[in-house]
Amino acid sequence: MSEAVAHVSRLGKHYRVGERERYFALRDMLARDDGGEPVREHGARWGTYRAGFYRRAGRGLRELGTRLLNRQGINGVWIDVGAHQGEATFIQAQNNPSLTVFAFEPNWGLARQLMGRLPNFIVLPMAVSENDGVADFFLNAADVASSLLPFSTEGLRTWKGGEALRVESRVSVPTIRLDTFMQCIGARAVDYLKVDAQGADFSVIQSAGLRIRDIQKITLEVDVTSVRLYQGSAGREQITAFLEKQGFVLSEVCRQSLDQEENLTFVRGGVR
């Protein structure tokens, strides 16, 4: 049994009846490869993710999505990429049973704290990237700074508060594209996409592919310093130009992190 399967199986013992079944598909998805055998472990890695893995993942997620989206009163879908402790979307799900939030959090220590707390807040211990597969994830002493991207040496040196940012370990996590995920759960549209992927936000947006036309509102984070904090991260101008080309309008800007970062909110067609 792989580490991922063991985690999900142990967690399942604590779910109330009715909530546990929502995670059986995820457990089974992680359990086997395309040959029908348990996924083999490779040191600290979760295993080899092959075509059959995604066929099984797709079936499990489609069943999960159908159950939730067909439930009476469900009329809104949000995706939270980099959910952390659910600060941006958990309360909204709690206060609005008609809303379904799919929350991606690759840091297992954080994800397991959110799992099973609400029937309409679905936690997926995976990362979103431009590739379906597996990737290295850098766990930081400040867990909010954990990322698929390594730090830029110069960016970290000049970052206000950078002394608290320290990579403690590197683990392998499963990854999925947004368009793959939307297809798997049968989502025709996403009302709100929130992204806080620590430098990888643009990659998350691009992973939606042509399905970006089915997303109505996007909030993402970008650093606005002269030197990028994370290697390969995109700047505000690049992200804004891309989303405007896709029919979005920048509607809100919120500065944070001692004015080193901004949360940008885009709406399709400029309608709030």
Side-chain angles (χ1 to χ4, degrees):
M1 181 181 289
S2 74
E3 181 180 356
V5 179
H7 281 154
V8 176
S9 298
R10 285 197 297 270
L11 186 63
K13 298 177 182 178
H14 302 290
Y15 292 155
R16 295 188 298 275
V17 174
E19 289 183 322
R20 292 178 60 185
E21 65 181 16
R22 291 186 172 88
Y23 294 92
F24 286 171
L26 179 60
R27 181 196 64 185
D28 294 341
M29 175 184 73
L30 292 169
R32 296 186 178 278
D33 66 7
D34 64 317
E37 296 298 327
V39 174
R40 295 181 296 277
E41 297 217 26
H42 296 269
R45 302 184 71 83
W46 281 8
T48 302
Y49 294 82
R50 300 188 295 204
F53 173 92
Y54 284 97
R55 285 197 296 271
R56 261 172 289 279
R59 286 198 295 269
L61 289 170
R62 276 193 296 273
E63 292 171 5
L64 173 62
T66 299
R67 283 203 303 273
L68 291 169
L69 297 177
N70 289 342
R71 202 173 117 198
Q72 186 176 3
I74 293 294
N75 57 14
V77 176
W78 288 11
I79 297 178
D80 186 346
V81 178
H84 194 242
Q85 296 179 330
E87 297 93 334
T89 56
F90 185 86
I91 292 178
Q92 287 83 349
Q94 187 176 50
N95 294 337
N96 181 13
S98 68
L99 172 67
T100 299
V101 176
F102 294 97
F104 286 88
E105 178 48 62
N107 183 334
W108 176 253
L110 296 174
R112 64 184 179 184
Q113 296 176 39
L114 293 172
M115 281 182 162
R117 293 176 60 186
L118 288 176
N120 61 327
F121 190 85
I122 312 305
V123 181
L124 296 149
M126 307 171 70
V128 176
S129 79
E130 293 183 71
N131 297 298
D132 296 327
V134 64
D136 287 337
F137 186 69
F138 298 90
L139 287 169
N140 203 283
D143 54 26
V144 295
S146 298
S147 176
L148 289 175
L149 299 179
F151 284 125
S152 158
T153 302
E154 180 63 16
L156 185 60
R157 186 186 67 80
T158 57
W159 188 263
K160 298 173 185 176
E163 63 277 0
L165 305 180
R166 183 181 69 259
V167 174
E168 292 191 323
S169 62
R170 182 172 64 181
V171 298
S172 292
V173 298
T175 61
I176 191 169
R177 290 175 54 88
L178 274 181
D179 52 9
T180 300
F181 179 72
M182 291 170 67
Q183 178 68 25
C184 284
I185 65 171
R188 295 181 179 179
V190 171
D191 298 283
Y192 180 48
L193 169 64
K194 170 259 170 179
V195 186
D196 187 356
Q198 294 302 303
D201 296 50
F202 190 40
S203 292
V204 171
I205 299 300
Q206 289 182 305
S207 79
L210 295 177
R211 295 301 307 273
I212 196 168
R213 61 193 176 194
D214 300 319
I215 300 173
Q216 301 305 309
K217 182 177 180 179
I218 299 173
T219 295
L220 56 86
E221 185 180 74
V222 60
D223 75 61
V224 290
T225 55
S226 58
V227 181
R228 301 274 82 81
L229 178 60
Y230 294 91
Q231 293 181 27
S233 64
R236 174 177 172 170
E237 295 77 13
Q238 182 181 4
I239 293 173
T240 300
F242 174 82
L243 287 175
E244 287 179 346
K245 187 176 181 180
Q246 300 300 322
F248 288 90
V249 174
L250 179 62
S251 65
E252 185 178 351
V253 177
C254 180
R255 281 188 163 266
Q256 60 184 22
S257 304
L258 301 175
D259 290 337
Q260 297 174 109
E261 293 180 310
E262 291 180 346
N263 274 331
L264 308 179
T265 297
F266 296 84
V267 291
R268 182 165 291 285
V271 180
R272 290 181 182 272

